[in-house]
Amino acid sequence: MASVSGVSFDKKEALSIITVENDFATAQITPYGASVLSFIPKCSGGSDLLWVSPTAVFNGKKPVRGGIPICWPWFGQNSDNPELPAHGFVRNLVWNLDDVQNLKSGATELVLSVKSNAKTLEMWPYSFHLSLTITIGKMLSLCLTTTNLSDQEMVLTEAFHSYFKVSDAREVAVSGFKNSLQVDTLKRSSPSKCLQTDQLIFSPPIDSVFLNHSADVVINDAGLLHDICIVGKEGSMSSVVWNPGPETVKGFADIPNEQWTSFLCVESGNVFSDVIRLKPREAHRLKIRLQMV
Ligand code: TA6
């Protein structure tokens, strides 16, 4: 691939790292899982929108803890076979970098893709093509396109599992959930509730799925003096809010115990009952735009 100004290639342990620097932002992406690891808008004074654990592993054997891993073609445990990897298998695959270009706007666009092979067909019996278009501009835009190349209907769930850097997960205000159906997965026995208020009141741990939810979400972080906005979503009917809190974090080898306050996952996609059904040759696009204001 011809070199593109502002785009450089490096390695961190076993992983390739692509660094993009343009007039709007600096970003880092690894083809391992097509995960965006860093997005620092020029206007942020050097603050990263995303969080990566200081003890994340870059050995290519497990997803990097942080950034934006892609959960696909199932979110959480596979309901038919709990032995299969949680959150699907594409976050553990090295994606192909199909294209990198600087757009007329000054933004930089990367396209990465992955397709079915003998190993994926053993775990999930559908031929597919999956591509991720990443646009680094004033906003970070991600568009995940699933194409069903099999001759059967494909049923899947998916999410951008975004880890946002926050000043303190106990102090941020998260809004945009009015009228969505909250499923509190930490209290499986309790009924789901319809959130009447815009603002989510919580104290970690939290692991909640919001169904019937396509609205913008704002994380108001008074400590970092900015808002993180997830705006203009397309093809997304669910959100997930997750933070392990002070006890559950101890079970994560790649998160230092005291670091649970430093991030909040607010994920966008289609999970639980919000499944995507694709007929042969049909495609689905899941799109998000992230911005710091
Ligand atoms: O999205 C929330 C969640 O599914 C939690 O239940 C949780 O444990 C987490 O994602 C992290 O999952 P992982 O497989 O990356 O360790």
Side-chain angles (χ1 to χ4, degrees), residues 65 75-76 86-87 91 161 163 185 207 240 242 252 265 267:
R65 176 70 62 194
F75 177 84
H87 290 321
R91 63 180 185 156
H161 198 304
Y163 288 75
T185 68
D207 196 347
V240 182
W242 177 65
F252 288 85
C265 288
E267 308 158 38

Side-chain angles (χ1 to χ4, degrees), residues 27 114 177 179-180 184 210 225 234 238-239 277:
V114 70
F177 294 100
N179 295 332
S180 68
D184 182 345
F210 298 86
L225 299 174
E234 291 172 30
S238 334
S239 296
R277 292 177 190 278

Side-chain angles (χ1 to χ4, degrees), residues 18-290:
I18 306 165
T19 301
V20 174
E21 174 144 25
N22 60 30
D23 289 346
F24 302 110
T26 303
Q28 288 199 320
I29 297 113
T30 177
Y32 181 64
S35 190
V36 181
L37 300 176
S38 169
F39 177 69
I40 306 176
K42 287 272 148 94
C43 63
S44 74
S47 184
D48 208 319
L49 183 94
L50 301 174
W51 177 85
V52 171
S53 172
T55 50
V57 294
F58 290 77
N59 62 7
K61 295 193 172 127
K62 63 182 283 191
V64 176
R65 176 70 62 194
I68 313 182
I70 294 172
C71 306
W72 190 99
W74 57 83
F75 177 84
Q77 291 294 335
N78 182 288
S79 48
D80 298 325
N81 183 356
E83 306 273 288
L84 289 173
H87 290 321
F89 48 78
V90 298
R91 63 180 185 156
N92 305 89
L93 296 178
V94 178
W95 294 43
N96 187 58
L97 179 61
D98 296 342
D99 192 31
V100 189
Q101 57 171 311
N102 287 324
L103 305 178
K104 280 198 185 120
S105 63
T108 306
E109 184 183 271
L110 295 85
V111 181
L112 295 102
S113 70
V114 70
K115 56 185 186 200
S116 44
N117 59 35
K119 270 198 164 166
T120 69
L121 289 167
E122 268 174 32
M123 293 186 273
W124 198 61
Y126 303 96
S127 299
F128 66 85
H129 182 266
L130 186 63
S131 80
L132 179 70
T133 302
I134 304 169
T135 311
I136 316 290
K138 200 173 164 211
M139 294 188 187
L140 169 64
S141 306
L142 301 182
C143 179
L144 183 70
T145 305
T146 302
T147 307
N148 181 359
L149 298 181
S150 79
D151 53 8
Q152 316 155 55
E153 185 184 60
M154 179 185 264
V155 181
L156 63 105
T157 51
E158 58 183 351
F160 290 122
H161 198 304
S162 350
Y163 288 75
F164 295 111
K165 180 180 169 182
V166 295
S167 57
D168 188 328
R170 293 165 293 194
E171 303 293 339
V172 295
V174 186
S175 55
F177 294 100
K178 195 168 169 60
N179 295 332
S180 68
L181 194 67
Q182 181 176 9
V183 181
D184 182 345
T185 68
L186 301 178
K187 295 185 198 136
R188 278 200 184 273
S189 53
S190 74
S192 306
K193 57 179 183 193
C194 197
L195 271 193
Q196 297 303 331
T197 57
D198 187 40
Q199 191 154 321
L200 177 66
I201 307 292
F202 70 98
S203 151
I206 180 168
D207 196 347
S208 280
V209 169
F210 298 86
L211 300 171
N212 188 32
H213 181 254
S214 57
D216 294 354
V217 177
V218 176
I219 304 171
N220 175 254
D221 193 336
L224 286 178
L225 299 174
H226 64 228
D227 289 349
I228 294 171
C229 307
I230 307 172
V231 296
K233 285 184 278 185
E234 291 172 30
S236 171
M237 284 308 292
S238 334
S239 296
V240 182
V241 177
W242 177 65
N243 179 288
E247 289 308 314
T248 308
V249 72
K250 295 176 186 163
F252 288 85
D254 54 1
I255 310 179
N257 290 351
E258 73 289 354
Q259 281 281 321
W260 66 272
T261 57
S262 309
F263 71 91
L264 183 69
C265 288
V266 180
E267 308 158 38
S268 311
N270 299 285
V271 314
F272 285 19
S273 55
D274 285 331
V275 296
I276 298 296
R277 292 177 190 278
L278 291 180
K279 295 203 171 70
R281 303 286 145 185
E282 269 186 352
H284 170 78
R285 295 198 321 162
L286 169 63
K287 198 162 178 179
I288 57 170
R289 296 178 187 89
L290 307 176

